[in-house]
Amino acid sequence: MAGRINPANPTKTRRGRSTADRAALSSAALLIALAALLGLAPAPTLAAPPGQPPPPPPASGFTVQETAHFVFFGQSSGQTDVVAFAGTYGPAAEQAFTELAALFNVQPPTKIAIYAYADDQSLQRAIQGIDAVELTRVGAIADPGSLSISLALPTFLARSPREAENAIRHATAHLLVGLAAGHNLPRGFEEGIAQYVERLPTPRLARIGATVQGANQRGALLSWSDLNRSQPPSADAELMRAESYAVVAFLLDQYTVRSFRDFLAALRTEPDWRLAMRATYNRSAGEIETQWKDNLPRWGAGGWKENLVAAFDLQPARDLLAGANYAAAKAALDRSQRLYADLGDRERLAEIEALLLQCDTGIQAEALMTQAQEALELHTYDRAQILLTQARTQYAQLPPEQHPTGLLEAYDRLAASGLQAINSLDRAQQLSRRWRDYPDARSAALGAGSTFAALGDEEMTARAQAVLHDLDVRQRRLVLLLAALACLTAAWLALWLWARGPAEVKWS
């Protein structure tokens, strides 16, 4: 919920800035923007003055715990103490602040106050003066006027860790985007960006996509003008939430984060969102709305899965990379690269480029392994061995835990066996030329044939069989020749024995 609470008296609502304050802010913003265009100053941001005191507690009975950008005020409760509460949720709040401050190019002038009330009744008394209506019930109530977030501790602690983190991210987005836009961002866009920066689970994203797609097919979509009215139309709340998310997703995806930041900056001096949109995107709001509607079939068919803000977190890509899922890691890093390029974060871009280099190396190594497998299937063992050598070179540039050592060794054994069998078959053919080497030739051909059969190489198995057959035929011919020669020799001896006379002839 976006409203304004005075931190010194949480039941009193500050309705807005005075006319003089708004005029001063507008003039200052205009001068800063002009200076930036002339190269005299950096792009405007709302810098936090150093040493700014934290906001006071809303009433007695609160304890205080500070983090880098938040002050946690805990009302006395048996649920948990404020130190434990800040220790549990402070890191998620700080991460949300870091990402969203970079996304909106804004720094608040003071730390954000988070008021944790002891029960729902205390919370309701504290926020009863807020008249803004929240499209999404997240359990953390944002008040941009006092730069604070209020919540009921028992209800908040009953949420899952992801739901609690999303509640903090949602409320923090309301505060920071309000500062970035001079509190002139219309409610539909503001609620859309507050949802978009959450870490939404896939089922909820799928429901958003299905809701918007169904409304588009029925012709029941709200116009952007209706979605951004100061008072919500009497329409389906779920459709309003889903459509506001889809609109912001389109603006960030199609027109980049940088353009959305420029749109927020334009709203500081131009409260009419239609004029600010034309000045930023060089198109009328009606033209952009038409583009959004034309894009809805694609978005509803699966584009809802993409969330550019989720690309802030590089850990999922690192986990994919550690698991050697290089293609998925590269897809995630490409989105992160686009985001940080828009934000101009050179340090993060350098980190992403190093990770992308690992992805490209891994993808190339996997491609070489695939080619090596194909070469083995085609029984081109020499090519397989060359490809495996190249794959090892690529894997050497990656961490050892990403090396498919077992697969490399298995492929190496197959390629080496094939090459050794080829050499054995060639040796058998050479030995077959000399009759005295027939036993060695036959042994070599038989071993080669057995190896080729194990490799499934039918062509080379047939060649080995042909060599064995040739050896057997030639050996059989030699045996027959020797047998024929023996028969001739025996016949000649028999004829000689029959024809020869007595050893000694008696003439008398």
Side-chain angles (χ1 to χ4, degrees), residues 224 250-251 277 281 283-292:
W224 285 16
F250 174 79
L251 292 176
M277 184 166 281
Y281 297 103
R283 289 179 174 84
S284 69
E287 290 177 295
I288 299 176
E289 183 176 357
T290 299
Q291 290 178 342
W292 170 70

Side-chain angles (χ1 to χ4, degrees), residues 101-169:
L103 183 68
F104 304 137
N105 194 28
V106 65
Q107 288 291 334
T110 63
K111 291 185 177 183
I112 296 173
I114 296 183
Y115 300 120
Y117 293 92
D119 49 51
D120 290 336
Q121 292 75 18
S122 299
L123 174 65
Q124 292 304 317
R125 286 194 297 270
I127 65 173
Q128 63 183 355
I130 297 177
D131 57 358
V133 178
E134 173 72 273
L135 293 178
T136 304
R137 300 296 179 185
V138 297
I141 315 302
D143 174 29
S146 63
L147 206 63
S148 66
I149 299 170
S150 300
L151 54 91
L153 195 57
T155 305
F156 191 84
L157 293 177
R159 294 175 176 269
S160 68
R162 175 54 60 88
E163 289 174 336
E165 178 187 356
N166 281 336
I168 292 173
R169 293 181 71 88

Side-chain angles (χ1 to χ4, degrees), residues 177-266:
V177 79
L179 287 176
H183 302 288
N184 288 325
L185 186 66
R187 64 189 313 279
F189 291 148
E190 183 173 334
E191 185 59 30
I193 191 64
Q195 290 182 85
Y196 192 82
V197 300
E198 294 182 41
R199 299 281 191 252
L200 296 180
T202 301
R204 183 173 164 191
L205 285 174
R207 184 173 180 178
I208 289 173
T211 299
V212 174
Q213 187 177 35
N216 184 41
Q217 292 170 348
R218 297 191 309 270
L221 288 173
L222 295 168
S223 69
W224 285 16
S225 294
D226 286 339
L227 193 66
N228 287 302
R229 288 180 184 177
S230 57
Q231 293 298 324
S234 55
D236 181 2
E238 183 177 0
L239 174 59
M240 293 177 65
R241 289 192 296 269
E243 191 171 332
S244 63
Y245 180 98
V247 168
V248 169
F250 174 79
L251 292 176
L252 291 175
D253 185 61
Q254 297 296 316
Y255 288 99
T256 74
V257 170
R258 185 177 302 173
S259 296
F260 191 78
R261 289 168 66 176
D262 292 342
F263 174 53
L264 296 178

